[in-house]
């Protein structure tokens, strides 16, 4: 069943179908929240909050081509709210176990594995990249996560974030350069 059909039926009173939307998009939303927050527990909370917002405001949803983009936009705002409320940006201590206990295999751009080295080297690279992401400005990290880890095109990111395409390109370039500098590549 297509997303628009599910949404239509949910609006008509078949509330049990909301679970199908959650099942279909939970991993994508969680992955986005995880890369934004850098913490598995916080990502779970933000994911739950995203679906709560969706449930509350589904009646106001206007048909769009890509429902997933709409949902990621909600997650983006939920993560921003989380950081605003908790001042989490000022606390950049990242524990080793926090980054190695990822609930799913890390993938990057088009769902290809991040590295081709041995498992120990892969883990060290993942930790370094995630630490580097947390040291970027929020808007740079946001663009990098959407582009490299979620697979969105630059124009889609511009639409999701509500900024001009040129700004997205600048954020991607400068964020990537800062990440390279952090990783000393």
């Amino acid at each position: 069943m297509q997303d628009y059909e599910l949404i239509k039926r949910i609006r008509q009173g078949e509330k049990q179908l909301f679970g199908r939307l959650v099942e279909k998009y939970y991993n994508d939303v969680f992955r986005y929240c995880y890369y934004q927050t850098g913490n598995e527990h916080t990502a779970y909370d933000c994911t739950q909050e995203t679906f709560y917002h969706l449930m509350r405001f589904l009646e106001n949803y206007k048909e769009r081509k890509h429902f997933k983009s709409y949902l990621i936009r909600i997650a983006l705002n939920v993560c921003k709210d989380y950081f605003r409320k908790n001042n989490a940006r000022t606390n950049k201590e990242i524990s080793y176990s926090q980054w190695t206990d990822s609930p799913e295999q890390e993938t990057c751009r088009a769902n290809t594995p991040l590295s081709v080295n041995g498992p120990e080297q892969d883990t060290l690279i993942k930790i370094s990249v995630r630490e580097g992401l947390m040291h970027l400005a929020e808007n740079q990290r946001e663009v990098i996560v959407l582009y490299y880890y979620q697979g969105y095109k630059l124009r889609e990111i511009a639409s999701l974030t509500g900024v001009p395409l040129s700004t997205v390109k600048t954020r991607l370039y400068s964020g990537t350069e800062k990440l390279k500098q952090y990783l000393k590549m």
Side-chain angles (χ1 to χ4, degrees), residues 94 127-136 179 182-183:
I94 300 169
I127 292 168
S128 297
V129 169
R130 288 182 182 155
E131 285 177 350
L133 283 172
M134 295 311 291
H135 285 88
L136 295 177
L179 192 56
Y182 180 80
L183 299 171

Side-chain angles (χ1 to χ4, degrees), residues 21-127:
L21 282 178
V22 173
E23 286 176 24
K24 184 173 182 180
Y25 293 109
Y26 188 89
N27 288 337
D28 293 324
V29 172
F30 176 79
R31 188 178 310 114
Y32 176 79
C33 293
Y34 184 69
Y35 282 109
Q36 282 297 346
T37 64
N39 181 289
E40 186 176 346
H41 299 292
T42 304
Y44 281 124
D45 292 344
C46 288
T47 301
Q48 293 301 317
E49 186 73 18
T50 298
F51 285 106
Y52 171 73
H53 283 291
L54 176 64
M55 185 172 50
R56 271 186 72 204
F57 299 109
L58 193 59
E59 292 298 323
N60 300 328
Y61 171 72
K62 292 183 179 36
E63 286 299 320
R64 296 187 176 150
K65 277 188 194 175
H66 303 287
F67 179 73
K68 179 182 170 185
S69 295
Y70 175 75
L71 198 52
I72 294 295
R73 176 72 178 172
I74 295 172
L76 182 148
N77 289 326
V78 166
C79 289
K80 283 182 179 181
D81 289 345
Y82 167 78
F83 287 123
R84 240 181 264 126
K85 288 176 186 172
N86 297 299
N87 256 343
R89 230 356 105 225
T90 59
N91 181 10
K92 291 189 176 182
E93 290 184 25
I94 300 169
S95 70
Y96 177 81
S97 63
Q98 173 182 336
W99 290 115
T100 56
D101 293 341
S102 177
E104 51 189 77
Q105 179 186 8
E106 181 157 0
T107 58
C108 180
R109 198 82 176 139
N111 293 329
T112 57
L114 179 64
S115 176
V116 294
N117 302 313
E120 298 85 13
Q121 187 67 23
D122 286 351
T123 301
L124 291 175
I125 290 171
K126 290 174 187 178
I127 292 168

